[in-house]
Amino acid sequence: MGGGDRDNGVKPHKTVFVTVGTTCFDALVKAVDTREVKEELSRKGYTHLLIQMGRGSYIPTKSAGEDGDLTVDYFTFSSSIADYLKSASLVISHAGSGSIFETLRLGTPLIVVVNEDLMDNHQSELAEELAERKHLLYAHPQTLYQTIEGMNLETLIPYVPGDARPVAKVINRFLGFPDD
Amino acid sequence: MEKGNSCCFSIMMVPNSIVVLIAINIIIVIRIFYVIHQSSKPLRNLSLEPVSTLIILGSGGHTAEMLNLIRGLQKNRFTPRVYVAASTDNMSLQKAQVLEASVVDQTGAGKVKEAAQFMQIYRSREVGQSYLTSVGTTLIALVHALFLMIKIRPQVILCNGPGTCFPLCVIAFLFKVLGVRWSSIFYVESIARVRRLSLSGLLLYKLRIADLIFVQWPQLQRKYPRTNYVGCLM
């Protein structure tokens, strides 16, 4: 699991990275930008909050992080969010399968927040299934605070990356190619 | 006797064109059932010749899953490869090109052009587009897809949604019915589908257009028994 908890006087960087991908998901950005969520993250030992806000129009409040407050910053898009995911101690993400699996593969603790405004909301299926298997935590924008407050990241089970070999095998057999 | 005569007479009265039409229809229906039946059976590829492969890239997560699958396939068997992506999606073909370049590096062959081609296609339905307007856009996509399919005529089609793949699969199926080209159509349902098939997946399943449909969750296989559960690709 990412992040350090060393107690050597200097407060270690513990970043929460929020990502909405290429979508517009103001409800999530608003939810993390509330005082109760930021205070709870601070209490849990996180020092920085970085928000990738995508096509949303809600602008979160920046903060330099004085008086032990969370340092808050945001940006709209980045060609690759891999580095942000890698350096984060906690990821709060929309339910897109791309960012879910990218985060799980890095082993970074993940809270997936489902966008209830989407027309065809099949996305929650995947997040719910992975939450049931304890690979991630699952929340709605309005329950994010409760999820953070009650979260115990120790209980999360690392995700074992999938494997294309079984499909490849079936396809090869179907086409009459021998197994190697 | 009289009865028999009148019966014969009434058959004679039916215009020939209708008889021919009915006969053609029956032949087509029989042919469609034959194609569906044959499609569900494995091929006997005794020559072990490589198969020309059409790879239809969806977008975002769909593309990532498909490229994971391609990485697991023997490139010398599935060659040449044609990658097709929606014209509104500029990331997918780039990612496929990166993958193909790494294949060339591995084999040291230095001929991406011969082994892989990259094409764009009009999309039948954007994410979130209403089903009603989808009808019109699907027609345009069909014409373009027909043009591409006549050019490519693949032996194997690999696809995993969303809408982009549907017209191409329908045309491939028609080619099978008409005897233009026999292709094996493989559809991999997205990992994001846990409880229900996507629209493309459901259509290919119900219409029996795909030879094999793969799903990545066991509960989905239980709900749609003719699918194949293969575990997670991601």
Side-chain angles (χ1 to χ4, degrees):
Chain A
M1 295 279 152
D5 256 318
R6 275 154 296 144
D7 212 2
N8 51 7
V10 190
K11 211 175 175 192
H13 257 239
K14 276 190 82 181
T15 304
V16 179
F17 180 56
V18 179
T19 176
V20 306
T22 53
T23 68
C24 165
F25 193 2
D26 278 343
L28 171 58
V29 181
K30 267 183 207 165
V32 291
D33 196 34
T34 56
R35 217 182 58 196
E36 52 172 1
V37 165
K38 284 193 277 194
E39 279 177 3
E40 189 56 38
L41 287 173
S42 213
R43 219 170 295 142
K44 287 269 191 297
Y46 298 100
T47 58
H48 291 68
L49 175 62
L50 182 59
I51 303 168
Q52 184 264 316
M53 53 174 279
R55 294 193 287 115
S57 53
Y58 176 80
I59 308 289
T61 359
K62 275 195 187 192
S63 159
E66 281 121 12
D67 314 326
D69 272 357
L70 218 53
T71 307
V72 184
D73 202 358
Y74 64 86
F75 61 94
T76 52
F77 294 104
S78 162
S79 56
S80 167
I81 58 162
D83 291 336
Y84 297 108
L85 293 175
K86 257 176 232 161
S87 55
S89 304
L90 172 68
V91 174
I92 301 176
S93 168
H94 74 125
S97 69
S99 30
I100 289 182
F101 286 106
E102 207 172 341
T103 310
L104 288 182
R105 236 175 286 157
L106 290 168
T108 312
L110 170 65
I111 300 175
V112 168
V113 181
V114 169
N115 189 352
E116 289 144 334
D117 299 332
L118 289 182
M119 188 177 97
D120 171 21
N121 203 354
H122 72 268
Q123 280 198 326
S124 62
E125 285 180 23
L126 177 66
E128 277 172 33
E129 179 68 29
L130 291 168
E132 230 160 79
R133 292 168 184 240
K134 294 207 179 306
H135 297 310
L136 51 82
L137 296 169
Y138 171 81
H140 294 271
Q142 61 274 22
T143 62
L144 181 62
Y145 168 72
Q146 285 93 319
T147 307
I148 293 169
E149 191 192 25
M151 72 183 179
N152 179 7
L153 300 179
E154 305 295 305
T155 60
L156 289 180
I157 298 167
Y159 180 78
V160 179
D163 185 0
R165 275 173 300 183
V167 199
K169 203 171 174 180
V170 178
I171 290 175
N172 269 293
R173 278 197 187 156
F174 191 87
L175 295 173
F177 288 120
D179 295 336
D180 337 71
Chain B
M1 275 305 267
E2 249 186 64
K3 225 178 187 176
N5 274 343
S6 70
C7 178
C8 270
F9 186 71
S10 67
I11 288 178
M12 299 285 280
M13 282 295 282
V14 178
N16 278 342
S17 56
I18 293 184
V19 175
V20 170
L21 220 70
I22 291 171
I24 289 175
N25 275 325
I26 290 172
I27 291 169
I28 290 174
V29 168
I30 291 172
R31 174 67 186 168
I32 288 174
F33 276 105
Y34 172 77
V35 167
I36 288 173
H37 175 72
Q38 281 303 109
S39 293
S40 64
K41 290 200 304 191
L43 300 179
R44 269 171 301 160
N45 178 6
L46 295 172
S47 59
L48 299 181
E49 291 275 324
V51 285
S52 64
T53 306
L54 170 64
I55 299 149
I56 307 166
L57 301 173
S59 57
H62 291 275
T63 297
E65 286 178 45
M66 180 53 77
L67 294 181
N68 254 3
L69 168 58
I70 303 303
R71 276 185 205 101
L73 290 178
Q74 295 90 332
K75 307 294 178 297
N76 54 340
R77 286 178 180 174
F78 297 85
T79 195
R81 295 175 292 283
V82 179
Y83 291 86
V84 168
S87 50
T88 49
D89 169 13
N90 40 28
M91 289 303 292
S92 292
L93 288 182
Q94 255 178 46
K95 285 179 184 157
Q97 273 158 347
V98 170
L99 187 147
E100 285 294 335
S102 75
V103 171
V104 172
D105 285 347
Q106 276 166 22
T107 54
K111 42 179 180 180
V112 192
K113 269 193 185 145
E114 283 164 44
Q117 285 184 61
F118 308 89
M119 296 178 185
Q120 289 191 315
I121 189 171
Y122 290 113
R123 223 173 128 159
S124 57
R125 185 172 167 265
E126 293 299 326
V127 171
Q129 190 185 332
S130 80
Y131 290 131
L132 195 72
T133 58
S134 298
V135 176
T137 46
T138 300
L139 279 176
I140 298 171
L142 261 173
V143 173
H144 190 228
L146 182 65
F147 169 75
L148 280 183
M149 285 296 286
I150 291 171
K151 232 165 75 175
I152 305 166
R153 291 199 308 283
Q155 290 165 286
V156 170
I157 296 177
L158 300 172
C159 56
N160 65 345
T164 324
C165 69
F166 188 67
L168 292 165
C169 290
V170 170
I171 291 161
F173 186 79
L174 287 178
F175 280 7
K176 284 163 102 166
V177 172
L178 297 172
V180 176
R181 168 64 109 185
W182 190 272
S183 55
S184 302
I185 305 169
F186 301 110
Y187 180 85
V188 188
E189 187 55 279
S190 159
I191 196 166
R193 299 294 177 154
V194 180
R195 290 181 216 129
R196 280 185 308 135
L197 288 177
S198 63
L199 181 63
S200 326
L202 192 68
L203 285 171
L204 294 176
Y205 181 81
K206 292 280 183 199
L207 300 174
R208 297 175 190 248
I209 288 173
D211 293 37
L212 293 180
I213 293 182
F214 300 106
V215 295
Q216 304 189 45
W217 298 101
Q219 57 269 49
L220 206 53
Q221 197 277 329
R222 285 195 289 275
K223 189 166 177 195
Y224 306 94
R226 283 186 284 113
T227 59
N228 297 262
Y229 167 62
V230 285
C232 291
L233 269 175
M234 292 299 283

Coordinates of all heavy atoms in Angstrom, one line a residue, chain A residues 17 19-21 81 85 91-115 122-131 135-139 158-159 161, chain B residues 61 64-65 191-194 217 234:
Chain A
F17 N -5.7 11.8 -4.0 CA -5.9 12.2 -5.4 C -7.3 11.9 -5.8 O -7.7 10.8 -5.7 CB -4.9 11.5 -6.3 CG -5.0 11.9 -7.7 CD1 -4.9 13.2 -8.1 CD2 -5.2 10.9 -8.7 CE1 -5.0 13.6 -9.5 CE2 -5.3 11.3 -10.0 CZ -5.2 12.6 -10.4
T19 N -10.0 11.9 -8.9 CA -10.0 11.9 -10.4 C -11.4 11.6 -10.9 O -12.1 10.7 -10.4 CB -9.0 11.0 -11.0 OG1 -9.1 11.0 -12.4 CG2 -9.1 9.5 -10.5
V20 N -11.8 12.4 -11.9 CA -13.1 12.2 -12.5 C -12.9 11.8 -14.0 O -13.9 11.7 -14.8 CB -14.0 13.4 -12.5 CG1 -14.2 13.9 -11.1 CG2 -13.6 14.6 -13.4
G21 N -11.7 11.6 -14.4 CA -11.4 11.1 -15.8 C -11.8 12.2 -16.8 O -11.6 13.4 -16.5
I81 N -2.5 10.2 -15.9 CA -2.6 10.4 -14.5 C -1.8 9.4 -13.7 O -1.9 9.3 -12.5 CB -4.1 10.4 -14.0 CG1 -4.8 9.1 -14.4 CG2 -4.9 11.6 -14.6 CD1 -6.1 8.9 -13.7
L85 N -1.5 8.9 -9.6 CA -2.0 7.7 -8.9 C -0.9 7.1 -8.1 O -1.1 6.6 -7.0 CB -2.5 6.7 -9.9 CG -3.8 7.1 -10.7 CD1 -4.2 6.1 -11.7 CD2 -5.0 7.3 -9.7
V91 N -6.8 7.2 -3.3 CA -7.4 7.7 -4.5 C -8.9 7.7 -4.4 O -9.5 6.7 -3.9 CB -7.0 6.9 -5.8 CG1 -7.7 7.3 -7.0 CG2 -5.5 7.0 -6.0
I92 N -9.6 8.8 -4.7 CA -11.0 8.9 -4.8 C -11.4 9.1 -6.2 O -11.0 10.1 -6.8 CB -11.6 10.0 -3.9 CG1 -11.1 9.8 -2.5 CG2 -13.1 10.1 -4.0 CD1 -11.6 11.0 -1.5
S93 N -12.1 8.1 -6.8 CA -12.2 8.1 -8.3 C -13.7 8.0 -8.7 O -14.5 7.5 -8.0 CB -11.4 7.0 -8.9 OG -11.7 6.8 -10.2
H94 N -14.0 8.5 -9.9 CA -15.2 8.1 -10.6 C -15.2 6.6 -10.9 O -14.2 6.0 -10.7 CB -15.5 9.0 -11.8 CG -14.6 8.6 -13.0 ND1 -15.1 8.3 -14.2 CD2 -13.3 8.4 -13.1 CE1 -14.2 8.0 -15.0 NE2 -13.0 8.0 -14.4
A95 N -16.4 6.1 -11.4 CA -16.5 4.7 -11.5 C -16.0 4.1 -12.9 O -16.3 3.0 -13.2 CB -17.9 4.2 -11.3
G96 N -15.2 4.9 -13.7 CA -14.7 4.4 -14.9 C -13.8 3.2 -14.7 O -12.9 3.3 -13.8
S97 N -13.9 2.2 -15.6 CA -13.1 1.0 -15.4 C -11.6 1.3 -15.6 O -10.8 0.7 -14.9 CB -13.6 -0.1 -16.3 OG -13.2 0.2 -17.6
G98 N -11.3 2.3 -16.4 CA -9.9 2.6 -16.7 C -9.2 3.0 -15.4 O -8.2 2.4 -15.0
S99 N -9.7 4.1 -14.7 CA -9.0 4.5 -13.5 C -9.1 3.5 -12.4 O -8.2 3.4 -11.5 CB -9.5 5.9 -13.1 OG -10.8 6.2 -13.4
I100 N -10.2 2.8 -12.3 CA -10.4 1.8 -11.2 C -9.2 0.8 -11.3 O -8.5 0.5 -10.4 CB -11.7 1.0 -11.3 CG1 -12.9 2.0 -10.9 CG2 -11.7 -0.2 -10.5 CD1 -14.3 1.3 -10.9
F101 N -9.0 0.2 -12.5 CA -8.0 -0.9 -12.6 C -6.6 -0.4 -12.6 O -5.7 -1.0 -12.1 CB -8.3 -1.8 -13.9 CG -9.5 -2.7 -13.7 CD1 -10.7 -2.4 -14.3 CD2 -9.4 -3.7 -12.8 CE1 -11.8 -3.2 -14.1 CE2 -10.5 -4.6 -12.6 CZ -11.7 -4.3 -13.2
E102 N -6.4 0.9 -13.1 CA -5.1 1.5 -13.0 C -4.7 1.6 -11.5 O -3.6 1.4 -11.1 CB -5.1 2.8 -13.7 CG -3.7 3.2 -14.3 CD -3.7 4.4 -15.1 OE1 -4.8 4.8 -15.7 OE2 -2.6 5.0 -15.3
T103 N -5.7 2.1 -10.7 CA -5.4 2.3 -9.3 C -5.2 1.0 -8.6 O -4.3 0.8 -7.8 CB -6.5 3.1 -8.7 OG1 -6.8 4.2 -9.5 CG2 -6.2 3.5 -7.2
L104 N -6.1 0.0 -8.8 CA -6.0 -1.3 -8.2 C -4.7 -2.0 -8.4 O -4.1 -2.6 -7.6 CB -7.1 -2.2 -8.6 CG -8.5 -1.9 -8.1 CD1 -9.6 -2.9 -8.6 CD2 -8.6 -1.8 -6.6
R105 N -4.2 -1.8 -9.7 CA -2.9 -2.5 -10.1 C -1.8 -1.9 -9.3 O -0.8 -2.6 -9.1 CB -2.7 -2.5 -11.6 CG -2.5 -3.9 -12.1 CD -2.4 -3.9 -13.6 NE -3.8 -3.7 -14.2 CZ -3.9 -3.2 -15.4 NH1 -2.9 -2.9 -16.1 NH2 -5.1 -3.1 -15.9
L106 N -1.9 -0.6 -9.0 CA -0.8 0.0 -8.2 C -0.9 -0.3 -6.7 O 0.0 0.0 -6.0 CB -0.9 1.6 -8.4 CG -0.5 2.1 -9.8 CD1 -0.9 3.6 -9.9 CD2 1.0 2.0 -10.0
G107 N -2.0 -0.8 -6.3 CA -2.2 -1.2 -4.9 C -2.5 0.0 -4.0 O -2.3 -0.1 -2.8
T108 N -2.9 1.1 -4.6 CA -3.3 2.3 -3.8 C -4.7 2.1 -3.4 O -5.6 1.8 -4.1 CB -3.1 3.6 -4.7 OG1 -1.9 3.5 -5.4 CG2 -3.2 4.8 -3.8
P109 N -4.9 2.4 -2.1 CA -6.3 2.3 -1.6 C -7.3 3.2 -2.4 O -6.9 4.3 -2.8 CB -6.2 2.8 -0.1 CG -4.8 2.6 0.3 CD -4.0 2.8 -1.0
L110 N -8.5 2.7 -2.6 CA -9.3 3.4 -3.6 C -10.8 3.5 -3.1 O -11.3 2.5 -2.6 CB -9.3 2.6 -4.9 CG -10.3 3.0 -6.0 CD1 -10.1 4.4 -6.5 CD2 -10.2 2.0 -7.1
I111 N -11.3 4.7 -3.2 CA -12.8 4.9 -2.9 C -13.4 5.2 -4.3 O -13.0 6.2 -4.9 CB -13.1 6.0 -1.9 CG1 -12.4 5.7 -0.6 CG2 -14.6 6.2 -1.7 CD1 -12.5 6.9 0.4
V112 N -14.3 4.5 -4.7 CA -15.0 4.8 -6.0 C -16.3 5.4 -5.7 O -17.1 4.9 -4.8 CB -15.2 3.5 -6.8 CG1 -16.2 3.8 -8.0 CG2 -13.9 3.0 -7.4
V113 N -16.6 6.6 -6.3 CA -17.8 7.3 -6.1 C -18.6 7.3 -7.4 O -18.1 7.6 -8.5 CB -17.5 8.8 -5.7 CG1 -18.8 9.5 -5.4 CG2 -16.7 8.8 -4.5
V114 N -19.8 6.8 -7.3 CA -20.7 6.6 -8.5 C -21.4 7.9 -8.8 O -22.0 8.5 -8.0 CB -21.7 5.4 -8.2 CG1 -22.7 5.4 -9.3 CG2 -20.9 4.1 -8.1
N115 N -21.4 8.2 -10.1 CA -22.1 9.4 -10.6 C -23.6 9.0 -10.9 O -23.8 8.3 -11.9 CB -21.4 9.8 -11.9 CG -21.9 11.2 -12.3 OD1 -22.9 11.7 -11.8 ND2 -21.3 11.8 -13.3
H122 N -24.6 1.7 -15.7 CA -24.2 0.4 -15.5 C -22.8 0.4 -14.7 O -22.4 -0.6 -14.2 CB -24.0 -0.4 -16.8 CG -22.8 0.1 -17.6 ND1 -22.9 1.1 -18.5 CD2 -21.5 -0.3 -17.6 CE1 -21.7 1.3 -19.0 NE2 -20.9 0.5 -18.5
Q123 N -22.2 1.6 -14.7 CA -20.9 1.7 -14.1 C -20.9 1.2 -12.6 O -19.9 0.7 -12.1 CB -20.4 3.1 -14.1 CG -19.9 3.5 -15.5 CD -19.0 4.7 -15.4 OE1 -19.3 5.6 -14.6 NE2 -18.0 4.8 -16.2
S124 N -22.0 1.5 -11.9 CA -22.0 1.1 -10.5 C -21.9 -0.4 -10.3 O -21.4 -0.9 -9.3 CB -23.3 1.6 -9.8 OG -24.4 1.0 -10.4
E125 N -22.3 -1.2 -11.3 CA -22.2 -2.7 -11.2 C -20.7 -3.1 -10.9 O -20.5 -3.9 -10.0 CB -22.5 -3.3 -12.6 CG -23.9 -3.4 -13.0 CD -24.1 -4.0 -14.3 OE1 -23.3 -4.8 -14.8 OE2 -25.2 -3.7 -14.9
L126 N -19.8 -2.6 -11.6 CA -18.4 -2.9 -11.5 C -17.9 -2.5 -10.1 O -17.3 -3.3 -9.4 CB -17.5 -2.3 -12.5 CG -16.0 -2.6 -12.4 CD1 -15.7 -4.1 -12.6 CD2 -15.2 -1.8 -13.4
A127 N -18.2 -1.3 -9.7 CA -17.7 -0.8 -8.4 C -18.3 -1.6 -7.3 O -17.6 -1.9 -6.3 CB -18.1 0.7 -8.3
E128 N -19.6 -1.9 -7.4 CA -20.3 -2.7 -6.3 C -19.7 -4.1 -6.2 O -19.4 -4.6 -5.1 CB -21.8 -2.8 -6.6 CG -22.6 -1.6 -6.2 CD -24.0 -1.7 -6.7 OE1 -24.6 -2.8 -6.8 OE2 -24.6 -0.6 -6.9
E129 N -19.4 -4.7 -7.4 CA -18.8 -6.0 -7.3 C -17.5 -6.0 -6.7 O -17.2 -6.9 -5.9 CB -18.8 -6.6 -8.8 CG -18.2 -8.0 -8.9 CD -19.1 -9.1 -8.3 OE1 -20.3 -8.9 -8.3 OE2 -18.5 -10.1 -7.9
L130 N -16.6 -5.1 -7.1 CA -15.3 -5.0 -6.6 C -15.3 -4.6 -5.1 O -14.4 -5.0 -4.3 CB -14.4 -4.0 -7.4 CG -14.1 -4.5 -8.8 CD1 -13.5 -3.4 -9.6 CD2 -13.2 -5.7 -8.8
A131 N -16.3 -3.8 -4.7 CA -16.4 -3.5 -3.3 C -16.8 -4.7 -2.5 O -16.4 -4.9 -1.3 CB -17.4 -2.4 -3.1
H135 N -12.0 -5.1 -2.7 CA -10.8 -4.5 -3.4 C -10.8 -3.0 -3.3 O -9.8 -2.4 -3.5 CB -10.8 -5.0 -4.9 CG -10.6 -6.5 -5.0 ND1 -9.6 -7.2 -4.4 CD2 -11.3 -7.4 -5.8 CE1 -9.7 -8.5 -4.7 NE2 -10.7 -8.6 -5.5
L136 N -12.0 -2.5 -3.0 CA -12.1 -1.0 -2.9 C -13.3 -0.6 -2.1 O -14.1 -1.5 -1.7 CB -12.3 -0.4 -4.3 CG -13.4 -1.0 -5.3 CD1 -14.7 -0.4 -5.0 CD2 -13.0 -0.7 -6.7
L137 N -13.4 0.7 -1.8 CA -14.6 1.1 -1.1 C -15.5 1.8 -2.0 O -15.1 2.4 -3.0 CB -14.2 2.1 0.1 CG -13.3 1.5 1.2 CD1 -12.8 2.6 2.1 CD2 -14.2 0.5 2.0
Y138 N -16.8 1.8 -1.8 CA -17.8 2.3 -2.7 C -18.7 3.3 -2.0 O -19.1 3.1 -0.9 CB -18.6 1.0 -3.1 CG -19.8 1.3 -4.0 CD1 -19.7 1.5 -5.3 CD2 -21.1 1.3 -3.4 CE1 -20.9 1.8 -6.1 CE2 -22.2 1.5 -4.1 CZ -22.1 1.8 -5.5 OH -23.2 2.0 -6.2
A139 N -18.9 4.5 -2.7 CA -19.7 5.5 -2.1 C -20.5 6.3 -3.1 O -20.2 6.2 -4.3 CB -18.7 6.5 -1.3
P158 N -5.8 -6.8 -1.7 CA -5.1 -6.5 -3.0 C -5.7 -7.2 -4.2 O -6.1 -8.3 -4.1 CB -3.6 -6.9 -2.8 CG -3.5 -7.0 -1.3 CD -4.8 -7.4 -0.7
Y159 N -5.8 -6.4 -5.3 CA -6.4 -7.0 -6.5 C -5.3 -7.7 -7.3 O -4.3 -7.2 -7.5 CB -7.0 -5.9 -7.3 CG -7.7 -6.4 -8.6 CD1 -8.9 -7.0 -8.6 CD2 -7.0 -6.3 -9.8 CE1 -9.5 -7.5 -9.7 CE2 -7.6 -6.7 -11.0 CZ -8.8 -7.3 -10.9 OH -9.4 -7.8 -12.1
P161 N -4.1 -8.8 -10.7 CA -4.5 -8.5 -12.1 C -5.0 -9.7 -12.9 O -4.5 -10.8 -12.7 CB -3.1 -7.9 -12.7 CG -2.4 -7.5 -11.5 CD -2.8 -8.4 -10.4
Chain B
G61 N -11.7 2.3 -21.7 CA -11.5 1.0 -21.0 C -11.7 -0.2 -21.9 O -11.0 -1.2 -21.8
A64 N -8.4 -0.7 -23.7 CA -7.4 -1.2 -22.8 C -7.6 -2.7 -22.7 O -6.7 -3.5 -22.7 CB -7.5 -0.6 -21.4
E65 N -8.9 -3.2 -22.5 CA -9.2 -4.6 -22.4 C -8.8 -5.4 -23.7 O -8.2 -6.4 -23.6 CB -10.7 -4.8 -22.1 CG -11.1 -4.5 -20.7 CD -12.5 -4.6 -20.5 OE1 -13.1 -5.7 -20.9 OE2 -13.2 -3.7 -19.9
I191 N -15.4 -5.8 -18.8 CA -15.3 -6.1 -17.4 C -16.3 -5.3 -16.6 O -16.7 -5.7 -15.5 CB -13.9 -6.0 -16.9 CG1 -13.7 -6.7 -15.6 CG2 -13.5 -4.5 -16.8 CD1 -12.2 -6.9 -15.2
A192 N -16.7 -4.1 -17.1 CA -17.6 -3.3 -16.4 C -19.0 -3.9 -16.3 O -19.9 -3.4 -15.6 CB -17.7 -1.9 -17.1
R193 N -19.3 -4.9 -17.2 CA -20.6 -5.5 -17.2 C -20.6 -6.7 -16.3 O -20.0 -7.7 -16.6 CB -21.0 -5.9 -18.6 CG -21.1 -4.8 -19.5 CD -22.2 -3.8 -19.2 NE -22.3 -2.7 -20.0 CZ -23.4 -2.0 -20.3 NH1 -24.5 -2.3 -19.7 NH2 -23.3 -0.9 -21.0
V194 N -21.3 -6.6 -15.1 CA -21.2 -7.6 -14.1 C -22.6 -8.4 -14.1 O -22.6 -9.6 -13.9 CB -21.0 -7.0 -12.7 CG1 -20.9 -8.1 -11.6 CG2 -19.7 -6.2 -12.7
W217 N -17.4 -12.2 -15.7 CA -17.9 -12.5 -14.4 C -18.8 -13.7 -14.4 O -19.6 -13.9 -15.3 CB -18.7 -11.3 -13.9 CG -17.9 -10.0 -13.7 CD1 -17.9 -9.0 -14.6 CD2 -17.0 -9.7 -12.7 NE1 -17.0 -8.0 -14.2 CE2 -16.4 -8.4 -13.0 CE3 -16.6 -10.4 -11.5 CZ2 -15.5 -7.8 -12.2 CZ3 -15.6 -9.7 -10.7 CH2 -15.1 -8.5 -11.0
M234 N -8.6 -7.6 -17.0 CA -7.8 -6.4 -16.5 C -7.1 -6.7 -15.2 O -7.5 -7.5 -14.4 CB -8.8 -5.3 -16.3 CG -9.4 -4.7 -17.6 SD -8.1 -4.1 -18.7 CE -7.8 -2.6 -18.0

